[in-house]
Amino acid sequence: MWVLVGIETDRGPWVAALVAAGYRVFAINPRQVARARERHGTSGAKSDAGDAHTLADLVRTDAHQLRPVAGDSPLVEGIKVIARAHQNLIWDRHRHVLRLRAALREFFPAALEAFADLTAPDALELLATAPDPDRAARLSRSKIAAALKRARRRDVEVKAEAIQAALRSAQLTQPAELTDAYAATVRSHVALIAALNAQITTLGEQVDAHFGRHPDAEIYRSQPGLGDLLGARVLGEFGDDPDRYGGARARKNYAGSAPITRASGKKTVVLARHVRNRRLADALHQQAFCALSASPGARAYYDSLRARGAGHHAALRQLSNRLVGVLHGCLKTRTRYNETTAWAHYNQDQDVAA
């Protein structure tokens, strides 16, 4: 006889201990619990005891509609942890770049013209050396060229000349006291971005190493648009429990690429699915974009959607939805991606329509 446990998370030592002890654990979304709580009262009252009662009722009456905690391997759990940490560092870097860009716009707009990529090592080195307009204007071309060479840039002399011209261009200035304050802010952001760059590279190597040890790695690598980093993110979020998804539709629903239908009376609307695993959806959306240049079938499918009036992102969502189905088929049959097999059905439909 099974003992059923409802809990509002799917990870952590407590969940692992319950599963290891032989309990059947259901990870229930807090939003579902909140909606279920409203069935018993509309006052808005909330307590831990009341939530526990609601969870117990849910697993007692609706266990057949709930998803048990996936039986993923420790290896894929580790891949998910390190891939999420790597993505968090990238998001943190992006936040600091936006703050750096905002600061430069206030007192040193010439730097934004000189440096297109504020995460590049040459831009960070030069901004650390000259974080304000006066010092930047005094930078010699040889010093700029040396920074470009250390960053392994091409056409060093041409780029050094362009950067120097941009830094010495006429621009509005701020009072000296305000400029000094902004310069200190720029130095701080530059140091943080440089440190994040180093950690992103280091952690990226660890993601590759963990991902390469998984038996499904070659199947993921064979998919168009998936490399080691994106493949590790997708694998970590999907998991490797072979019984987790009942079919391709279930995997697409979990991925958030499948649309939802709202029907009421005579009105039916098909909408994008916004409640989803954001990390997985971001990785799959990026895969769909990269697949446009890696797969002729994916490109043809995208072009046909655009020709029918779909927007760029809507077409990418539909392409992502199809690629998730292809991935599910490859994992189910334990085969690598094959361009002809993946798009044979679509090509046949196109021939019939023609």
Side-chain angles (χ1 to χ4, degrees), residues 131-146:
D132 59 71
D134 290 339
R135 276 176 281 192
R138 294 197 298 268
L139 283 174
S140 65
R141 191 177 303 177
S142 60
K143 198 161 192 174
I144 297 173

Side-chain angles (χ1 to χ4, degrees), residues 291-301 337 339 343:
L292 295 180
S293 58
S295 165
R299 183 77 218 191
Y301 183 65
Y337 174 85
E339 181 75 16
W343 301 100

Side-chain angles (χ1 to χ4, degrees), residues 10 40 52 59 74 81 100 114 138 170 173 209 227 250 259 269 276 312 316 318:
D10 62 350
H40 305 294
V59 297
V81 168
L100 173 60
R138 294 197 298 268
T173 60
V269 181
R276 56 189 178 177
H312 171 66
L316 284 182
Q318 293 187 54

Side-chain angles (χ1 to χ4, degrees), residues 84-100 118-121 124 187-205 229 233:
R84 284 187 172 189
H86 181 261
Q87 191 172 42
N88 286 341
L89 288 181
I90 293 175
W91 287 342
D92 288 342
R93 180 178 65 182
H94 185 64
R95 293 188 187 98
H96 285 291
V97 168
L98 291 178
R99 291 166 184 161
L100 173 60
L118 293 177
T119 66
L124 295 175
R187 277 204 201 92
S188 176
H189 287 309
V190 165
L192 287 170
I193 294 169
L196 286 169
N197 280 343
Q199 292 306 312
I200 286 169
T201 301
T202 301
L203 205 56
E205 294 171 356
L229 288 177
R233 290 179 191 171

Side-chain angles (χ1 to χ4, degrees), residues 312-333:
H312 171 66
H313 291 291
L316 284 182
R317 280 196 302 270
Q318 293 187 54
L319 173 58
S320 173
N321 195 47
R322 192 173 187 90
L323 290 173
V324 170
V326 172
L327 172 63
H328 183 81
C330 290
L331 292 170
K332 183 178 179 180
T333 58

